[in-house]
Amino acid sequence: MTMNRIWGLLVVLVFFNGCFLDDVKRQTYAQARISASNKLRDTNVHSRPKVVKIGSVLAFDSIVGKAAKIAVQTAVKDVNSDPSVLNGTKLELTIHDSGSSGFVSIIEALHFTSSETVALIGPESSALTLMISYIVKELQVPLLSFRATDPTLSSLQCPFFIRTAHSDFFQMAAIADIVGYYGWRRVIAIYIDDDHGRNGITSLADQFASKRGKISHKAPIKPNATRKDIQDVLLQVSFMESKVLVVHTNTNWGLHILDVAKDLGMMESGYVWITTDWLSTIMDISSPPRKSFAAMQGVITLRSYIKDSERKRKFITKWKDLTTYGMSTYSLYAYDTIRLLARALDDFFDHGGKLSFSKGRPNQAKDSQGGLLNFNSLTVFNGGKILLEDILKVKMNGVTGPMEFTSDRMLVFPAFEVINVMRNGFRNVGYWSNSSRLSISPPKPPKTNQSNSTQLLNTVIWPGETVDKPRGWMLPRNGKQTKIGVPVRISFQDIVKEIQGTNRYMGYSIDVFVAAINLLPYAVPYQFYPYGDGRQNPSYTDLVSLVNAGVYDAAVGDIAIITNRTSMVDFTQPYIESGLVVVTPVKKLSSGTWAIFKPFTVELWGVILISFLVVGAVVWILEHRRNNDFRGTPKQQFGTTLWFIFSTLFFTHKQSMKSTLGRLVVILWLFVVLIISQSYTASLSSILTVQKLSSPIDGIESLIPRKDRIGYGARSFVRDYLVKEIGISEARLVPLELPEDYEKALSDGPNNGGVIAIVDERPYIELFLSTRCQFSIVGPEFTKNGWGFAFQQGSHLATDVSNAILKLSETGELQRIHNKWLLQSACSSQGRELSVDRLELKRFKGLFFIIGLACVLSLFVYLVPTIYQYTKRKPDSSVSSGPRHMQTFISSIDEKEDSAIAHSKKRIRETSSLESNRDQMMHL
C-alpha cells in the first residue's frame, strides 16, 4: 500500500469519525498549542494525577501479540502495585486488537484520539507502526514499539516513534559477519515483500557490500502467498548456484517457508539456512510440531542476548505462573517498555508536567467532495514533546539489562546469540555484539575489558546432520553449461591453440585447466567459446571485461593477473609465474690472444703489482739486519727481495724469516696471495671454457635514457606499463604480433626500421628464444605477476580451481605439463646471457686493507725501538750536521744487528774508560 493510499484511507476514516486533524489547518492553532505547553511547567503548583491513560495496539491472532499482551498487562500491574514508581499515580492500560491488519490498526489507533491517552505501545509490526506513526505525530503522543525493528523507521520520518528493542540493522550486521566468517561470498535472500522485509534485506545488502559479499538473488514472497506461491519461489531458488539462504520474514510465514523447503529437498547437506530472530521467537514462545523441527534442523538463527540477572530470573518465575507460553526476548522488551514509560512519566511529573489536552479547533476543513470535516472531538496531548524527551533521557536497568538511548534513539549495547537448531531443540554456538563482533564468549558492555577469543563460533551441525562446513554453492540443477571464453591467438600457439574444424582447444593453458577441473569433487559441464577474429591476438583486458559483464562465466588462457583486471573478476591461484623481461641481439665473444689478462681489471692488476713491491720492501726492512739471505751488495739484496716476494705467488720461496714481525707479514701476505690466485684461476677457467655473449643493453634501466625504438607484444598490458610505470615515450613503442615479427625487428635494429630490444612476458620470450640463439634475455625481470583463470566475482569455482592448481603443483603434474609445452629450448646453453664480469678492485679491498695495515704496524713497531737505540748510541748527534746525521743513521740501519750490538758494547767500554781516566787526572 503506497503512502498516498494510506492517507486517502485516513481521510475517509476521519470523515466518518469526525476526529482527524488535517495538516492544512495545523498552523491555525499552533500558537494555542505553544501557549498550552508553556503552562505545563508550574513551579508553584506541584500535583500528580491519580490516573494516566496509555493505550496499546497488538495483534491477538499472533503468538508474539498474545505473549506481549500478557507482558504489558503484567508490567502495568507491577507498576501500579509499587508506589515508589509513580508516587501514587496509576497507569490505566487499554489494549485494542489490530488483527494483523493495517486497516484495523488505523481504526483502533484512532479510537485513542479522544481518550486523553499520553502514550501508545505497539504494534509489533513495522509496517503497522509506520501507519500509526502518522497519527501519533498529529496527536503529539509518543509511540513505543518493542517489535518494530525496521531500520528505516527514523526519527526524521516518525518523530514520535521510539524503538525499545534493537534495530534489524544490527541483526543484518551479525548475519554478514557469520557469512564472512565461513568464507561465503554470495547469498540468496528470501523475504516477505513488505516494507519490513524489503528494508531489512536492503540493510543486509549494505552490510555485505562493506565485506565484499553480495546478495546474488532476492526472492520476495508476497504477503498473502499460498503454499503454491512459496513453492514456486523456492523452486526458482533451488536452481541457483548459491546455497547460502537468508530468510527474513515474520513469525506467521517463517515455518511455512522451511516446511516447503524440506519437501523440496532443500534442507539436505550442502545447504546453509540463516534466519533472523523470528525463528528463535517461535521456538521460545511455543513448541513447534515435530515436522517443523525436522524442517529446521541445521538452521542458524539469532536471538537478542539478554544477560542473566536477578530481575530476569524473578520475572521468568512469575511468567510461568501467568501463562503456558514460553518466554521470548520480545516479551521481556514489552515488559521493560511499560517500566521505561513509567520512569519517564515520573520524571515528567517531578518537573511540573501536567496532563493537558487541546480539544476542538476554531475552524473546519473541507474534504475533496466539498463537505466539512469536524475536529471538535480531537484531543492533542500538549505535553507530548516534553514526555518524549523524558523517555529518551531515561537510564535504567530492566529485565533485559541496561536501557538507555543513544543520540539516534537506538538502545545501547546491541548483542545477539547465535543459535544452531537441532532435531530436538537448539544450542548456542556463539555471540555477536556491535563492539566485540563474533565470539564464543558472552559479550560485555563496550566500556569493560573483554578479550577476544580466536575461536569465533563453536561447531555447527548443518543441514544433513554434518559438521563439515558446506561449500555454500552447487552447480545449478538445470543442466546449464559453464561458458568459458578462450582467446584465439595467432602467435605462441603452444599456450592456446584452436583445433581447426572443431570447438576443441589444446595448449599449455588448456591442459592446466582441464587437469584442475578433473580434480574437483564434482562434475563441471563447460563449453569453450572462441574470443578473437583469428587475424590478430585479442585484447585480454576486453576478454576479462566480458566475464565481468556476464557474457562468459570464465576465461581460460594466458591471462596476466594485473591490478585493473582483478577489480573486474576473481582470479585463480597463478598456475605459472611470469614477469616482463628485455630481449635483444647479442654477439658471441671469443677468448682472444690476451685472455690470460682478462680475469682482472687494469686497476686490480696495478694494485696487485704495487702490493708485491710494497710487501717485498717491508719484508726486506724487517729482515735485513738479522737475516743473511737479505744481505750483500745492493744489487744482490734487490734481486733477492724481488725473487722472494714473487715466489710467494707459487709458494716456492726458500728464504726463512728471522724476525717475528717478518713472519707475521709473510703469513698474512700468503693468505692474500692464496685468495688472489684462486680467484684468478676460477675466472680464467670461465673465460676459456664458457661461451660469452655481449650486448649494449643490460636491462630495462639502460633502455630508458636511450631514444631507440622498443618492441612489445601487441594488445597486451606491456604498452600501458612501459608508458605509465616506466615513463618511456609512447612514440618509441612498436607493437609486434608474431615471433617472426620479433625476429625481423631485432635483426634490422633501430637504424634500419627495427627495434633495439623487445619487452614482453617471460613465457613468450622463452618460447621465442627456443630456436633463436642470436638473441638473449638481458637483465632481471622488472615486474612480477602470473597467469591465472578469470571467473565472475564471487564465483565459487575460482576458489575450488585454485585449490586444484595447488594440488597439481604439489603432485608435480603442473611441472610435467609445463615441460610438455614450454621446455623446448635448443639454446639452453645460454643460461648466462651476458659475459662473466671481470674481477674488480672493489671485491678485494678488504684483503689489501688488511695487508697494508699489517705492513704499517710492523714498520712502526720495528722503527720506534731502532730509532731509540740509535739516539742512545749517538749522544752527540745534536751537534752533527743534518746530512751527516742522516748518513750516520742509515749506516746504523744497514749495519748487521750483531755488529751493531758489539760496537755498542765497545763504545760503552771506551766511554767508561775515558771517564775513569778523566777522574784520575782531576784527583792529581
Side-chain angles (χ1 to χ4, degrees):
M1 181 181 296
T2 64
M3 196 56 60
N4 290 335
R5 294 173 62 187
I6 294 174
W7 278 109
L9 177 60
L10 291 175
V11 170
V12 173
L13 292 172
V14 169
F15 178 79
F16 287 103
N17 291 277
C19 59
F20 182 72
L21 175 61
D22 196 310
D23 287 338
V24 179
K25 297 300 180 179
R26 188 180 304 148
Q27 295 182 354
T28 61
Y29 59 89
Q31 189 61 42
R33 181 188 304 173
I34 294 174
S35 299
S37 179
N38 290 336
K39 296 178 181 179
L40 287 173
R41 306 300 190 193
D42 186 354
T43 58
N44 296 324
V45 179
H46 180 68
S47 61
R48 289 173 176 262
K50 292 184 178 181
V51 175
V52 176
K53 296 181 179 180
I54 60 174
S56 179
V57 178
L58 301 173
F60 295 170
D61 58 350
S62 72
I63 58 173
V64 176
K66 293 176 181 178
K69 178 183 178 182
I70 299 172
V72 295
Q73 288 176 334
T74 303
V76 170
K77 182 179 179 181
D78 290 347
V79 168
N80 290 338
S81 61
D82 186 354
S84 64
V85 177
L86 280 174
N87 294 319
T89 300
K90 304 294 185 181
L91 293 180
E92 182 180 309
L93 173 66
T94 302
I95 304 177
H96 292 168
D97 182 12
S98 69
S100 299
S101 167
F103 180 82
V104 176
S105 296
I106 295 174
I107 294 177
E108 297 300 335
L110 287 171
H111 287 162
F112 294 106
T113 60
S114 58
S115 61
E116 296 188 347
T117 299
V118 300
L120 286 180
I121 311 298
E124 66 270 23
S125 164
S126 297
L128 302 184
T129 300
L130 178 62
M131 297 179 185
I132 296 177
S133 67
Y134 291 103
I135 299 177
V136 298
K137 174 183 175 182
E138 302 305 328
L139 301 179
Q140 306 281 294
V141 172
L143 174 64
L144 294 81
S145 178
F146 54 88
R147 191 70 170 88
T149 54
D150 184 345
T152 64
L153 291 174
S154 65
S155 58
L156 295 177
Q157 182 185 24
C158 311
F160 278 82
F161 166 70
I162 301 174
R163 182 187 290 113
T164 57
H166 295 299
S167 167
D168 281 342
F169 171 85
F170 300 108
Q171 276 205 91
M172 300 309 171
I175 291 175
D177 281 354
I178 293 171
V179 173
Y181 169 66
Y182 288 109
W184 300 313
R185 296 283 296 278
R186 292 189 176 189
V187 304
I188 294 177
I190 303 172
Y191 59 97
I192 296 299
D193 193 15
D194 58 11
D195 289 342
H196 176 248
R198 287 189 297 270
N199 295 334
I201 295 303
T202 299
S203 179
L204 179 63
D206 293 340
Q207 295 291 337
F208 278 144
S210 65
K211 301 178 182 300
R212 296 194 65 186
K214 182 180 180 181
I215 296 179
S216 59
H217 178 72
K218 295 181 179 180
I221 298 174
K222 58 186 180 181
N224 57 344
T226 63
R227 185 179 179 85
K228 178 64 167 56
D229 295 332
I230 298 175
Q231 184 175 345
D232 292 341
V233 172
L234 294 185
L235 274 175
Q236 184 183 8
V237 168
S238 68
F239 288 124
M240 296 181 178
E241 183 181 271
S242 176
K243 300 305 175 187
V244 181
L245 312 177
V246 177
V247 183
H248 178 53
T249 179
N250 52 51
T251 55
N252 294 336
W253 293 100
L255 291 181
H256 296 299
I257 294 173
L258 297 182
D259 285 341
V260 173
K262 176 69 175 178
D263 294 341
L264 294 177
M266 297 176 66
M267 300 300 296
E268 301 173 352
S269 179
Y271 279 88
V272 176
W273 289 83
I274 304 174
T275 78
T276 47
D277 60 0
W278 61 265
L279 181 55
S280 62
T281 300
I282 293 175
M283 297 173 65
D284 287 338
I285 295 178
S286 62
S287 298
R290 295 184 61 86
K291 178 183 177 182
S292 296
F293 253 122
M296 292 186 286
Q297 194 279 323
V299 176
I300 292 179
T301 185
L302 298 178
R303 176 169 60 191
S304 290
Y305 170 69
I306 298 176
K307 183 180 179 181
D308 191 27
S309 65
E310 184 64 26
R311 288 188 180 90
K312 179 181 175 182
R313 287 192 293 269
K314 288 182 178 180
F315 182 73
I316 292 176
T317 301
K318 180 186 295 185
W319 183 266
K320 293 178 180 179
D321 297 332
L322 294 173
T323 178
T324 58
Y325 289 123
M327 172 61 66
S328 77
T329 56
Y330 287 109
S331 299
L332 297 175
Y333 279 117
Y335 180 85
D336 272 351
T337 299
I338 298 295
R339 303 281 299 191
L340 175 74
L341 177 59
R343 286 284 302 273
L345 285 170
D346 188 52
D347 293 339
F348 176 79
F349 293 133
D350 277 346
H351 292 88
K354 291 185 177 182
L355 300 184
S356 174
F357 297 88
S358 300
K359 287 184 174 291
R361 291 291 172 259
N363 297 320
Q364 291 177 324
K366 291 185 177 181
D367 63 13
S368 59
Q369 304 299 324
L372 294 178
L373 298 179
N374 183 15
F375 300 127
N376 291 332
S377 60
L378 181 68
T379 61
V380 177
F381 181 29
N382 296 324
K385 289 185 177 181
I386 300 173
L387 178 59
L388 180 69
E389 294 173 0
D390 289 335
I391 293 173
L392 296 175
K393 293 177 182 178
V394 170
K395 296 181 180 180
M396 69 175 229
N397 284 321
V399 295
T400 58
M403 293 203 73
E404 179 182 346
F405 294 98
T406 63
S407 58
D408 54 357
R409 298 189 182 183
M410 295 282 192
L411 278 182
V412 297
F413 189 43
F416 294 91
E417 294 181 71
V418 183
I419 295 173
N420 182 205
V421 183
M422 303 174 67
R423 185 170 296 277
N424 296 318
F426 55 86
R427 65 191 186 98
N428 178 291
V429 294
Y431 301 88
W432 182 94
S433 73
N434 197 38
S435 56
S436 61
R437 316 306 284 189
L438 289 175
S439 173
I440 59 173
S441 302
K444 299 178 182 178
K447 295 181 181 179
T448 62
N449 294 326
Q450 180 176 359
S451 59
N452 290 330
S453 173
T454 56
Q455 182 181 358
L456 302 184
L457 290 177
N458 288 313
T459 302
V460 172
I461 299 177
W462 303 99
E465 299 190 46
T466 176
V467 295
D468 296 330
K469 187 197 78 171
R471 187 186 302 114
W473 71 281
M474 296 180 188
L475 290 175
R477 296 187 298 181
N478 54 9
K480 177 184 176 182
Q481 288 187 324
T482 304
K483 295 179 62 177
I484 300 177
V486 180
V488 179
R489 295 192 59 90
I490 64 171
S491 63
F492 304 114
Q493 294 189 350
D494 288 332
I495 296 172
V496 176
K497 179 181 180 180
E498 183 180 13
I499 302 176
Q500 295 296 329
T502 68
N503 61 350
R504 297 170 56 201
Y505 292 80
M506 59 186 297
Y508 170 64
S509 296
I510 300 299
D511 278 9
V512 173
F513 177 75
V514 172
I517 289 294
N518 291 338
L519 282 180
L520 298 182
Y522 50 86
V524 179
Y526 61 87
Q527 179 67 47
F528 289 137
Y529 292 85
Y531 175 73
D533 56 13
R535 295 188 295 271
Q536 60 184 6
N537 291 328
S539 169
Y540 283 21
T541 299
D542 292 343
L543 174 59
V544 169
S545 299
L546 292 177
V547 175
N548 180 50
V551 177
Y552 300 121
D553 297 313
V556 169
D558 46 327
I559 306 172
I561 304 173
I562 56 178
T563 303
N564 66 324
R565 294 174 185 172
T566 56
S567 62
M568 294 186 287
V569 296
D570 286 346
F571 278 98
T572 62
Q573 170 83 14
Y575 60 89
I576 184 174
E577 294 296 328
S578 181
L580 297 183
V581 294
V582 177
V583 63
T584 187
V586 292
K587 294 185 299 182
K588 296 181 180 178
L589 296 177
S590 61
S591 299
T593 304
W594 304 103
I596 57 174
F597 294 106
K598 289 183 178 180
F600 295 158
T601 61
V602 176
E603 293 83 0
L604 182 55
W605 278 120
V607 172
I608 291 174
L609 179 59
I610 294 173
S611 298
F612 271 89
L613 298 176
V614 170
V615 174
V618 172
V619 171
W620 177 84
I621 293 172
L622 297 175
E623 294 290 324
H624 175 67
R625 298 185 68 194
R626 293 186 178 184
N627 197 334
N628 290 329
D629 292 339
F630 290 90
R631 299 191 64 79
T633 65
K635 183 178 180 180
Q636 290 175 334
Q637 294 182 48
F638 181 74
T640 299
T641 302
L642 287 181
W643 171 256
F644 168 77
I645 198 64
F646 281 104
S647 65
T648 58
L649 183 62
F650 307 101
F651 301 95
T652 59
H653 55 284
K654 296 181 180 179
Q655 294 80 1
S656 60
M657 299 293 102
K658 300 299 182 179
S659 68
T660 303
L661 292 176
R663 293 189 186 101
L664 176 63
V665 171
V666 170
I667 289 173
L668 291 176
W669 173 247
L670 290 176
F671 175 73
V672 172
V673 169
L674 176 65
I675 298 300
I676 292 176
S677 61
Q678 292 295 329
S679 301
Y680 175 84
T681 302
S683 181
L684 182 61
S685 299
S686 175
I687 290 173
L688 295 177
T689 59
V690 178
Q691 183 80 32
K692 305 303 183 306
L693 303 175
S694 175
S695 170
I697 303 300
D698 57 8
I700 188 63
E701 295 297 331
S702 61
L703 284 176
I704 297 175
R706 302 174 70 104
K707 302 298 181 183
D708 303 307
R709 300 202 305 169
I710 303 170
Y712 69 94
R715 280 168 295 281
S716 72
F717 74 95
V718 178
R719 172 184 169 277
D720 288 340
Y721 185 87
L722 293 177
V723 173
K724 298 178 181 178
E725 302 297 332
I726 304 298
I728 295 177
S729 172
E730 189 173 359
R732 295 176 57 193
L733 301 181
V734 180
L736 302 170
E737 290 276 5
L738 301 172
E740 292 76 12
D741 298 334
Y742 285 30
E743 182 177 9
K744 184 177 186 305
L746 289 172
S747 299
D748 291 345
N751 297 327
N752 298 313
V755 298
I756 192 172
I758 291 175
V759 178
D760 209 340
E761 296 182 72
R762 179 176 282 276
Y764 300 138
I765 296 302
E766 289 180 345
L767 283 173
F768 170 73
L769 295 176
S770 62
T771 56
R772 298 172 177 86
C773 301
Q774 69 273 32
F775 310 111
S776 180
I777 295 173
V778 293
E781 294 183 32
F782 53 93
T783 182
K784 281 285 187 181
N785 51 41
W787 291 351
F789 305 130
F791 290 86
Q792 293 181 8
Q793 285 188 336
S795 174
H796 304 282
L797 270 174
T799 302
D800 286 0
V801 173
S802 291
N803 293 333
I805 290 174
L806 290 175
K807 291 180 181 178
L808 290 175
S809 177
E810 293 169 357
T811 59
E813 181 66 13
L814 194 61
Q815 185 63 43
R816 189 195 66 79
I817 298 173
H818 177 274
N819 295 342
K820 172 185 174 182
W821 291 100
L822 302 184
L823 196 64
Q824 306 174 10
S825 176
C827 305
S828 58
S829 61
Q830 295 187 28
R832 302 292 184 268
E833 294 85 357
L834 298 181
S835 60
V836 179
D837 292 337
R838 302 176 70 185
L839 297 176
E840 298 176 345
L841 174 61
K842 63 182 181 181
R843 301 187 182 184
F844 299 94
K845 282 184 177 180
L847 284 175
F848 292 121
F849 175 78
I850 292 173
I851 192 62
L853 181 63
C855 290
V856 172
L857 292 177
S858 297
L859 286 175
F860 179 80
V861 173
Y862 172 77
L863 291 175
V864 168
T866 300
I867 294 172
Y868 177 76
Q869 291 175 2
Y870 170 76
T871 57
K872 289 293 185 181
R873 296 201 322 252
K874 301 292 182 180
D876 57 344
S877 61
S878 60
V879 299
S880 301
S881 61
R884 177 80 176 172
H885 179 73
M886 181 59 65
Q887 290 177 1
T888 305
F889 176 72
I890 294 175
S891 298
S892 67
I893 291 295
D894 185 58
E895 187 179 11
K896 193 174 181 181
E897 188 177 41
D898 294 341
S899 299
I901 294 173
H903 290 160
S904 177
K905 290 180 178 179
K906 180 180 178 181
R907 184 173 179 81
I908 293 172
R909 288 196 301 269
E910 291 176 350
T911 303
S912 300
S913 177
L914 289 174
E915 290 179 351
S916 175
N917 292 334
R918 188 182 298 115
D919 291 340
Q920 292 177 359
M921 292 295 294
M922 290 179 64
H923 287 297
L924 292 175

